[in-house]
Amino acid sequence: MMYWQEEIETMNRSDLEELQLKRLKKTIESAKNSSHYGKLFSELNITSENIHSLDDLRKIPFTTKDDLRNCYPFGMASIPLKDCVRIHSSSGTTGNPTVVLHSKKDLDEWANQVARCMYMVGLRDTDVFQNTSGYGMFTGGLGFQYGAEKLGALTVPAAAGNTKRQIKFITDFGTTCLHIIPSYATRLAEVFYELGIDPRKETKLKTICIGAEPHSEEQRKRIEQLLGVKAYNCFGMSEMNGPGVAFECTEQNGLHIWEDYVIVEIIDPVTLEPVPDGTIGELVLTTINREAMPLFRYRTRDLTRIIPGTCPCGRTHKRLDRFKGRSDDMIILKGVNIFPIQIEKILMNFKELANNYLITIETVGNSDEMQVEVEISDLFTDDYSTLQKLSKNITHQLKDELLITPRLKLVAKGSLPVQEGKAIRVRDLRKF
Amino acid sequence: MMYWQEEIETMNRSDLEELQLKRLKKTIESAKNSSHYGKLFSELNITSENIHSLDDLRKIPFTTKDDLRNCYPFGMASIPLKDCVRIHSSSGTTGNPTVVLHSKKDLDEWANQVARCMYMVGLRDTDVFQNTSGYGMFTGGLGFQYGAEKLGALTVPAAAGNTKRQIKFITDFGTTCLHIIPSYATRLAEVFYELGIDPRKETKLKTICIGAEPHSEEQRKRIEQLLGVKAYNCFGMSEMNGPGVAFECTEQNGLHIWEDYVIVEIIDPVTLEPVPDGTIGELVLTTINREAMPLFRYRTRDLTRIIPGTCPCGRTHKRLDRFKGRSDDMIILKGVNIFPIQIEKILMNFKELANNYLITIETVGNSDEMQVEVEISDLFTDDYSTLQKLSKNITHQLKDELLITPRLKLVAKGSLPVQEGKAIRVRDLRKF
């Protein structure tokens, strides 16, 4: 058996879209019971009868994180609270927390989504799955726990922390699969080698599910080599339950997003219009298989694109590309959408450059201009003509990527401001 | 509906014992597949056919924590590992860890046990249940989570720590029930009052499940008054799954132990013979409804007694009294079993005494004698005749409780050794 649910996973697109439409209508019916959507749908005269095609979804306004906050705690519930069996709440470090409610059926469907993902990367009931996530409110804990149990794997609910204990569990219980964040996977490998244990030879590890933290293809490869495993990218967010929304298959080329659970849109975060497949934009999701708290056209703020074409694995559900950052980071310059990560990607390709850079946008005369300052590496030359050649080369590549030409300034190492915590990469000094 | 499972909970004793026998035989059959019991049963010729009555259970030797350790990790498994879906492991701070394995059915039965307990104290699907336990390997987390979801309550998986956040959840989500350890319940109440919130009036709290930590009736009453709740004592141990083994009903007079899940014995920890109902001894449990890892006659080391008589709640399952300590703490003197807690209980009744005391057993001539030293309170008199009168009174009460007469020594406050960490209360200097 190649698939957890072959019929669903390999369903032809027209049947899948028909299923989506049916579920969308049903979801609209039940969402009328929530105080938020009830009011909205009645104002806009949205009923399941008015939705004739998936395109009609666009009659419904977007839902944002602010909507969720304004509905705190239970304004989004579409069923009575007595029929809900779990709350997951964000920490609410900035503003009101957001809350997601689940019915028994919702938890079972969520577990099914996760089991489907795990099965897709080759895990079976003979596997031993160790979860290094925190539990409690963090959805990576209970989400993977229920999914792995549904799959029938032997679960080791190790929870976060205590690396030596994690390693004891891995070796003693014959753990074959870990759920782990990428930075911790690297740390785990280090401790393995410190203890004189070669995880590639002296454990049964073969698969790891990495998520919750952005990471590059290079980082994935490094983790795979250190631990002797295949590492699969997983995407989840608590507003969409948690883990299991999208997951790589063994092709490791894009994350299948389960379209029997969500309707996917990719929009231009400025015009809010759909972008064609292959173009980067903001991921917008509509739940069509959740009863306690459906969300319509939820703006995830995550930037990605649909990978065009079909996947050799046979699954027909669309593939999301590796995430490109957050739409909040987007810069609009001369009508062009620019993401800092596009600039970073180019700069990081030059060995001559150090890690620190700063993007400044300012109004010069009647025009808005971009300046990119980047530190050069300690070991690099101070020969003027070499520097000029380098500068030209970088500028050329930036122009190719961004479609505008920034002013590039190579500066000495240590001359850009150093920030504590998350680096500030963009200064916008424009006069609006 | 008064009961979660009326037929089982109020089953007449003879039917219940018939059910136990049937399940015991079935469990013996399946345990033959474990390497531990397989060997043992074959050596002792124990088969389900040889078990004709519940008394025949005594043909099977006790299982101890050391047996569990020696079987680490999977020597107790009675089903193939691929049919197990969860491992709970102790931390193994002293020696090898112990491991308990669960099948899907086991997890479902465990959830049912917990749901039955929660229903018994009045919780329903309209309740909001907040779990302040740690999750992961600690069974109080996932154990209560699954049980409360099975009950249909709205669960708030808060996990341990962050008291202000716990309080925000309690107030925002309308939490009606907490699972909490007694010392943390007191702390929680303090923080409520520090924040100017009266938990008795400004929350919906009405029920708390307290366990995992020994506590007195006075402590329970105090918690009930501070939080404006009813507090119910719960008993669980990871070897017996975790929470849900025994739980108080609304009578608050003993913990019903679910005899369709376990067979209860109370034994004298020295002679290992059964003691009559009402007599304190060591609790010994046999699982009769667990398939992945049955345990026969497991010596829990916990001291308690069966409360004689029937319970007004109508449940026929036996009631365990509040736990009296650990059998490892027992002193045998002149053929009498004495538990330090019996002495402490008497001493703590005297306001004239401070908290520190020390019990010394030594051989004097041909006889073993007990000396009890206890500090007197700072504020108390040093008048000789008053002290003598007090001493007489305490000695008299100790004799009544212990049936032997210890030598009592009242000492000045601060004169007994002070220990870091867990206090050492007993010095045994006997020559054996």
Side-chain angles (χ1 to χ4, degrees), chain A residues 103-121:
Chain A
S103 70
K104 267 188 193 173
K105 179 174 176 292
D106 291 337
L107 292 186
D108 196 52
E109 290 288 357
W110 178 14
N112 185 61
Q113 272 182 292
V114 174
R116 192 193 284 174
C117 295
M118 296 178 79
Y119 197 94
M120 179 163 64
V121 296

Side-chain angles (χ1 to χ4, degrees), chain A residues 354 356 374-376 378 411-418:
Chain A
N356 208 359
V374 58
E375 294 181 359
I376 53 174
D378 259 348
V411 300
K413 185 138 193 227
S415 57
L416 291 176
V418 177

Side-chain angles (χ1 to χ4, degrees), chain A residues 72 85 104 146 149 155 172, chain B residues 72 85 104 146 149 155 172:
Chain A
Y72 178 83
V85 298
K104 267 188 193 173
Y146 281 58
E149 284 176 11
T155 63
D172 291 358
Chain B
Y72 179 83
V85 298
K104 266 187 194 175
Y146 281 57
E149 284 176 11
T155 64
D172 290 359

